[in-house]
Amino acid sequence: MDESLLLALNISTLAIIIFSAHLLILRASERHAYLPLAICLLAIGIVICQPTLASVAKPWQPTILIFSLPAILLIAPTFWLYVVGITAETPWQFQDASKRHFIPALIGCAVSLLALFVPYDVQYALLIEGNENILKSTSEMIRYIAYGTLIATLLLVLGWVIQSGIYFYKVVKRLTQYRQHLKDLFASTESKEIRWLSWLLLAVGVVWTATAVNIVLDNLVFATQLNAGIAGSVILVMIWSIALWGLRQKPGFEELYDSKEQLPIGLTNSEPSQSKYQRSALDEAHASQIANKIENAMHNDRLYLDASLSLQKLAKHISTSPNYISQTLNESLGANFFDYVNKYRVEAAKQMLLESNDTVLNIAMNVGFNAKSSFYAAFKKETQLTPSQFRKSMNQS
């Protein structure tokens, strides 16, 4: 029964991987960021397919297991490139700089190709049956190749543990910078924040830690074994989540890709924040004029009511460079675009809370917010109260 369950879970996971990777590859012609995710999913498929192979294609088990080494070394870098692609400020494509991320996988591929020189019966005995005694009956050269590839594999697997940790940190850092940069360009960021990736990273972190500990213990200390049913279920849910959200996710800055205006640099800026505008030609008098235009657009034109308001829209409205607006907001008005606009929205909401009996959700929508959660967060940041608490306290006074 356990083997049947494991096989069903494994086949279901592989079916999702193949179907999703196919769709991602088809869409990669329009959004190149989908291609690394497709490669990532296929690499995971190679790594986890042993239960299915044992049932329907047993002769292929040793070969696929050998090539699980480069596959496992592909997972983290391709996932990283996917994250870079969907958070890029301009349309992302594979570049020469991207190639360095595949060096460990290429080394793993070389080791795998070397392992293919070991006769098939020896491969099967070593990798599937765990029978090392077969090496006693082989030639000295085969033994050298077998032991050499096993040692290289162990070192690369330990390297994978380190590699995964590095890329995990890079992804978390990238998402943090990305979400902060969104606030420089958009007044509403809920649909662009890619929160599902954070939850996925948390799950991946737990699974990665458990897997890494298991691999290290299994290779260096004593044999360990994870519950196959639980592991298969967790992998199925994670792959389903990656496939579902990965297919739905659009690049966060996609609506700005066709912009001819030069937008503020965020993710690729390596300068400290205090020197970000050091080479700008914006002087104090010009900044004061821009500040007056911005405040006029909010006070008189009530531009903040537009739920899809962006820095680019504001720039067109007041006929000013987005870079200069961003600099003026940060240096003269002391706020990023997101906080500045939402401050006006909160002020408008406060007035409506006092003057009407409309619901909090309707008021949030009417003043430009497009999610109740973001309204509550912005309102509490400004007043230290929830909208309901504010209405109640002001009515009592």
Side-chain angles (χ1 to χ4, degrees):
M1 180 65 181
D2 289 340
E3 290 184 4
S4 299
L5 174 61
L6 179 60
L7 179 61
L9 289 170
N10 195 246
I11 291 175
S12 300
T13 305
L14 292 175
I16 293 172
I17 286 174
I18 294 170
F19 179 74
S20 303
H22 174 68
L23 289 179
L24 288 165
I25 290 170
L26 290 177
R27 296 183 184 184
S29 59
E30 298 178 1
R31 298 189 184 101
H32 290 208
Y34 285 154
L35 186 56
L37 184 60
I39 297 172
C40 179
L41 287 172
L42 292 173
I44 294 172
I46 292 172
V47 172
I48 67 169
C49 70
Q50 284 300 313
T52 299
L53 290 177
S55 177
V56 300
K58 204 165 186 177
W60 283 92
Q61 275 191 278
T63 304
I64 299 300
L65 192 57
I66 286 172
F67 282 96
S68 293
L69 178 61
I72 201 173
L73 292 166
L74 270 178
I75 295 172
T78 50
F79 188 74
W80 158 251
L81 290 175
Y82 166 70
V83 172
V84 171
I86 61 173
T87 58
E89 297 155 315
T90 56
W92 182 86
Q93 291 183 335
F94 273 110
Q95 299 176 342
D96 288 340
S98 305
K99 296 177 182 177
R100 60 189 172 85
H101 296 285
F102 297 98
I103 292 175
L106 289 173
I107 296 173
C109 192
V111 173
S112 297
L113 291 172
L114 181 63
L116 292 181
F117 285 97
V118 176
Y120 177 83
D121 58 329
V122 179
Q123 295 176 17
Y124 195 91
L126 284 173
L127 300 174
I128 307 303
E129 297 175 349
N131 178 18
E132 297 181 11
N133 292 327
I134 195 171
L135 289 175
K136 295 178 181 179
S137 59
T138 62
S139 66
E140 189 175 4
M141 179 177 292
I142 295 299
R143 284 199 297 273
Y144 282 142
I145 294 175
Y147 283 126
T149 53
L150 287 173
I151 292 171
T153 298
L154 174 60
L155 293 175
L156 286 172
V157 168
L158 294 177
W160 165 77
V161 175
I162 298 171
Q163 178 205 50
S164 299
I166 292 172
Y167 279 107
F168 184 88
Y169 170 77
K170 286 167 67 73
V171 169
V172 171
K173 183 179 179 181
R174 175 81 180 191
L175 289 175
T176 301
Q177 293 174 337
Y178 164 74
R179 288 171 185 146
Q180 185 58 46
H181 190 41
L182 283 176
K183 294 183 177 182
D184 291 327
L185 302 176
F186 301 101
S188 299
T189 62
E190 296 80 12
S191 62
K192 306 175 188 297
E193 290 188 356
I194 324 179
R195 290 293 175 189
W196 66 272
L197 261 181
S198 297
W199 290 107
L200 179 66
L201 282 174
L202 179 61
V204 168
V206 173
V207 172
W208 170 79
T209 302
T211 304
V213 170
N214 180 72
I215 288 175
V216 172
L217 292 177
D218 189 49
N219 284 279
L220 299 181
V221 186
F222 52 82
T224 60
Q225 187 172 5
L226 295 174
N227 184 292
I230 293 176
S233 299
V234 170
I235 292 171
L236 174 60
V237 172
M238 290 178 61
I239 293 299
W240 178 82
S241 301
I242 294 172
L244 174 66
W245 290 101
L247 286 165
R248 295 175 60 182
Q249 186 65 57
K250 295 180 180 180
F253 297 114
E254 187 176 49
E255 66 186 76
L256 305 179
Y257 283 174
D258 295 329
S259 173
K260 295 180 181 179
E261 295 282 353
Q262 185 179 0
L263 297 168
I265 296 174
L267 297 174
T268 57
N269 180 44
S270 59
E271 296 179 343
S273 57
Q274 61 267 29
S275 61
K276 185 176 179 180
Y277 305 108
Q278 190 174 10
R279 292 184 292 272
S280 172
L282 183 66
D283 56 33
E284 189 173 339
H286 193 188
S288 179
Q289 291 176 357
I290 293 173
N292 290 334
K293 285 184 177 181
I294 295 171
E295 292 183 349
N296 181 65
M298 296 299 161
H299 277 295
N300 300 330
D301 302 334
R302 304 180 75 190
L303 215 60
Y304 59 85
L305 296 178
D306 181 1
S308 62
L309 182 62
S310 66
L311 185 71
Q312 189 180 24
K313 282 187 177 182
L314 176 60
K316 288 181 179 179
H317 186 81
I318 64 174
S319 301
T320 305
S321 161
N323 261 327
Y324 282 176
I325 294 176
S326 180
Q327 183 176 351
T328 300
L329 285 169
N330 281 272
E331 294 184 345
S332 300
L333 299 176
N336 58 38
F337 181 69
F338 177 87
D339 289 335
Y340 181 78
V341 173
N342 284 333
K343 186 173 182 179
Y344 277 92
R345 290 173 174 173
V346 169
E347 288 301 317
K350 286 162 65 176
Q351 188 173 355
M352 293 181 70
L353 284 166
L354 299 178
E355 295 176 354
S356 74
N357 293 320
D358 208 350
T359 66
V360 171
L361 179 58
N362 285 342
I363 290 174
M365 300 296 114
N366 289 337
V367 298
F369 288 96
N370 53 21
K372 189 175 181 179
S373 58
S374 58
F375 173 54
Y376 269 75
F379 195 94
K380 196 160 188 178
K381 182 179 180 180
E382 291 293 326
T383 66
Q384 285 73 55
L385 297 171
T386 66
S388 299
Q389 289 171 339
F390 175 82
R391 173 181 268 170
K392 185 177 179 180
S393 64
M394 296 303 291
N395 286 337
Q396 286 177 347
S397 62

